[in-house]
Amino acid sequence: MTLATDQNSDGRGLSSMSRRLIALRDDVIARWSQQTRANVDLARRLPYPILINTLPIFYDNLAQAMTPDYPRAMADSHANIAGVHGDERARMTSYGPEQVIHEYQLFRDAFIHVMTEKGIELDAAQWSVFQTSIDRAVREAVKNFTEVHQSLRHRIAAALSHDMRGPLSVIMNGASVLSLRADTSEQSRLTTARILENGKRLNDMVEELLEALSIDQQQDLPLAIERTDLTAISKAVCREINDSGAAICELTGESVVGYWCPNSMRRAIENLTGNAIKYGDGGPIRIHLVQAHERIMLSVHNSGAPIASANRERIFEYLRREDSDKASGWGIGLPFVRSVAHSHGGSVVVDSAPETGTTFTIDVPLDSRPFAGMSI
């Protein structure tokens, strides 16, 4: 079974080398987690599903890329998997960029160690795919990590600006009262006028700053987490789609029960399947469920025109419109899906290519109770 982002769970079209690598995924992840806890101070107390993050999915993407004629040249080809790793590290840990980089260095070492231990020899082309994939993943993960922290700084600035309006209002009201007194001296009136003038300027500056910073759609959602049968929810969504005649919906994978907010997860699945119907080519929609390393991956796949690489992150922006692209009009659905994943301590990955169609994957801890609301 593969965890790759294109929903190719049974390894169709993969070479024997790719299949061998997928079979060793858990060995590499175990070695990597052991070495990461031993060498990255901030990783030592991370709960296991948070430590693991999206790395098993990245690993299987990397294994796919080892097949020469498979439509994935590198581990991050037509997928935002590396950026999502950095995004989640920024939201769920106290890491800095150096820890993100160190993790990928340890992943490289763990992979080489297991390959050597198992006597597996990669050829020059396969080593090139491996090294280039790691280098690209590091750049993309650090880029997204930095962007999330930049967003946090904006949110802090917005909060401070909002709080500044209270004392500023008191100052201006006091100055206004003083300006109405008939028994004040000329100097006092001039001073009061200057206070009012500069107070108004400062108030205008605060308002402009708040306007510039006010669009922030990455707040955690309020969740009512309980024991939830995600398979039953997915089955119900599929049944409604089939009954409506809007499309054919298939549910595959394994039975998954964990702790999430059932209403939020159902709405997220409905948003993803709704987009699959709207932007697919009329072919079947497939919901696939799998769990690994104390995390669950719920993916929704459709065929049809792919999402342009430049839009794979922008489609998650609130009310984003890309009129020149088929992804126009994604609106609030995908930002909501991402908020659901983030609020449960996880992420959303998108993989889209002409050969494989479009797959969105919600990747969250199996038990989200300890992690709800942890993201910044």
Side-chain angles (χ1 to χ4, degrees), residues 13 16 35-36 54 114 123 130 137 142 148 173 198 200 207 239 261 269 276 297 304 312 318 338 359 364 369:
S16 59
Q35 291 300 306
T36 299
T54 57
V114 172
D123 61 29
F130 172 70
V142 171
V148 170
N173 288 338
N198 284 278
K200 184 178 183 306
E207 291 295 333
R239 183 171 56 249
C261 174
I269 298 168
M297 283 130 272
R312 285 189 203 120
Y318 184 67
R338 183 166 66 175
T359 304
V364 296
R369 288 175 296 181

Side-chain angles (χ1 to χ4, degrees), residues 32 36 85 89 95 99-107:
W32 172 83
T36 299
H85 178 87
R89 281 297 186 245
Y95 277 20
Q99 280 81 33
V100 176
I101 296 170
H102 195 182
E103 280 191 329
Y104 277 104
Q105 292 171 334
L106 292 169
F107 177 81

Side-chain angles (χ1 to χ4, degrees), residues 7-28:
Q7 217 183 58
N8 181 5
S9 58
D10 60 1
R12 298 180 308 276
L14 295 183
S15 66
S16 59
M17 176 59 78
S18 292
R19 292 176 181 274
R20 290 181 72 187
L21 295 181
I22 289 170
L24 293 173
R25 177 213 311 130
D26 290 352
D27 291 342
V28 174

Side-chain angles (χ1 to χ4, degrees), residues 92 220-221 223 225 342-345 368-375:
M92 301 298 296
D220 281 347
L221 296 171
L223 302 176
I225 294 181
H342 286 188
S343 299
H344 283 85
S368 287
R369 288 175 296 181
F371 316 118
M374 278 182 57
S375 65

Side-chain angles (χ1 to χ4, degrees), residues 143-174:
K143 172 177 172 289
N144 278 39
F145 180 93
T146 304
E147 288 175 352
V148 170
H149 275 279
Q150 182 66 32
S151 172
L152 174 62
R153 286 192 288 271
H154 285 180
R155 287 159 61 179
I156 293 172
L160 289 174
S161 299
H162 181 273
D163 292 345
M164 286 168 58
R165 292 191 300 182
L168 178 59
S169 177
V170 172
I171 292 171
M172 293 183 66
N173 288 338

Side-chain angles (χ1 to χ4, degrees), residues 247-250 281-286 301-303:
I248 297 173
C249 182
E250 304 168 348
D281 62 358
I285 296 164
R286 184 168 61 250
H301 174 270
N302 70 275
S303 52

